Amino acid sequence: MNIPPQLLVSSFLFILPLLFLFIFTKKKNKSSPNSTKQQLPKSYPLVGHYFSISPNQHRRNQYTTEVLQNSPAATFVFRHLFGARRITTANPAVVQHILKTNFSIYQKGDSFRIPLSDFLGDGIFNADGDNWKFQRQVASHEFNTKSLRKFIETVVETELSDRLLPILSEAASDNSVLDFQDILQRFAFDNICKIAFGFDPAYLSPSLPDAKFALAFDDAVSISSQRNISSVPWVWKIKKIFGIGSEKQLAQSISEVRDFATHIVREKKKELAEKSSVDSVDLLSRFLSSGHSDEKFVTDIVISFILAGKDTTSAALTWFFWLVAVNPHVEKQILKEINDQSETSVYSEVKEMVYTQAALCESMRLYPPVPADAKEAAVDDVLPDGTVVKKGDKVVYHPYAMGRMENVWGKDWAEYRPERWLEWNEESKKWSLVMRDSYTYPVFQAGPRICLGKEMAFLQMKRVVAGVLRRFRVVPAMAEGTEPVFISHLTSKMKGGFPVRFVERGGTE
């Protein structure tokens, strides 16, 4: 395809001054022998911190963490091109300020909503104001019903026993290597589609099939995320106008996702209309039966719930299984707790697995499923640490960095230590869980937007951990000493996947 001349000219005019400034600053940095890793990045006229941010774009979470660790108040104002500001924080007092105290000031805003609107529409994760309040109220009511909870437990149990464990058993008998990240994503995708739609995509079938909807969903998440973090948003907007490059691919992926979701909504409406009583307990049936029949509204909500359920739990479990595999003393404690439970009466038993929950909390401290979340200031404000916020500024709280702050977690913050979440009771001879407040540990958000599915997520994750580790050792198929690379789109992933072998446990293990 021929690139329009006006696009070439505008790109050249944009790049030329940046190139000149880049050469200038490189020379300046070479002549400065006192530059150290501890220095905070420098800002320059027009381009702000561009020359610090750009080389670290592939490791933006790690880079942001280093900056916040070296910032006196754990808050730093990143300046982007042409004066745009992104205030990023790992300060719990600031997190409480933006997520609770001044919640009405800090909304999703256009800077977040517009890049994601093609994909998420007006769904709950992309909504503000009355639209968000309404969806939150409806979702909160549905999530608090015992029948939905029981349905979720049944779905997870069926997927675990009928699909996940047999696949792992076959891999163990063949001594074959599986990408456990892919397996867990498939597991989570089947679960959330059953819970949200009452539809089984069978993505975790033994043949591990390609599913057009799942692949399109992943592409839509990845490209929408790149839109969201772009420091020059006009680039993706121009590509969208001309239907080229990543924007062409995004349009195709979103079309695939929304066509599929809309088809499911229509089929569900038809099914409910033909029934004299509602037997289905999936979320879609609940929304439609409660009178919310607008097709786009319901489709937006369902897509948002798939995003929440598909990638977050699978990301959390991927990093958990790696950390446990390289920390055998933790695995030993978890295994002891699992073996103390009965294999029957499943969900009542996993509630008592406090060491396992502590180990999950600790893995999400180091590798949160959502490493950063942005809000937009609706008016001028001043943060508790004295940072001045201007109307329109992005304010980002950063769970990935927050889990790495020495003043919060101590000098051993880099260690994987579930015991930091536990307190030993000498009288009962048992551990009890000691949770941190949600502003110090905002892995599930905090304040009015705190995750509705938090408790259900822990129940599901503990059930998967118990089911897998009771039967198998998870052995990373990587060179010894290799540490996986943490990357993120809207949610986190392990770069290149998580290759593992599964070893059946002996009777004495």
Side-chain angles (χ1 to χ4, degrees), residues 184 187 312-322 360 461 464-465:
L184 290 168
F187 174 83
T312 52
T313 53
S314 60
L317 286 168
T318 298
W319 289 100
F320 168 84
F321 280 113
W322 174 69
L360 284 162
M461 290 190 291
V464 172
V465 170

Side-chain angles (χ1 to χ4, degrees), residues 206 231 401:
S231 56

Side-chain angles (χ1 to χ4, degrees), residues 178-226:
L178 290 179
D179 178 357
F180 203 19
Q181 176 169 256
D182 176 60
I183 296 295
L184 290 168
Q185 286 172 343
R186 289 170 180 270
F187 174 83
F189 187 71
D190 279 357
N191 279 333
I192 196 60
C193 282
K194 290 179 192 175
I195 292 163
F197 286 136
F199 170 80
D200 180 11
Y203 199 31
L204 191 58
S205 296
S207 62
L208 302 180
D210 287 337
K212 283 178 71 178
F213 178 64
L215 296 173
F217 200 94
D218 284 342
D219 279 345
V221 168
S222 176
I223 300 169
S224 295
S225 174
Q226 292 304 312

Side-chain angles (χ1 to χ4, degrees), residues 147 151 268 271-272 274-282 285-286 289:
S147 56
F151 177 61
K268 184 63 68 174
E271 176 189 327
L272 293 172
E274 291 170 356
K275 286 184 178 180
S276 55
S277 63
V278 179
D279 299 322
S280 301
V281 289
D282 58 86
S285 297
R286 289 167 176 275
S289 300

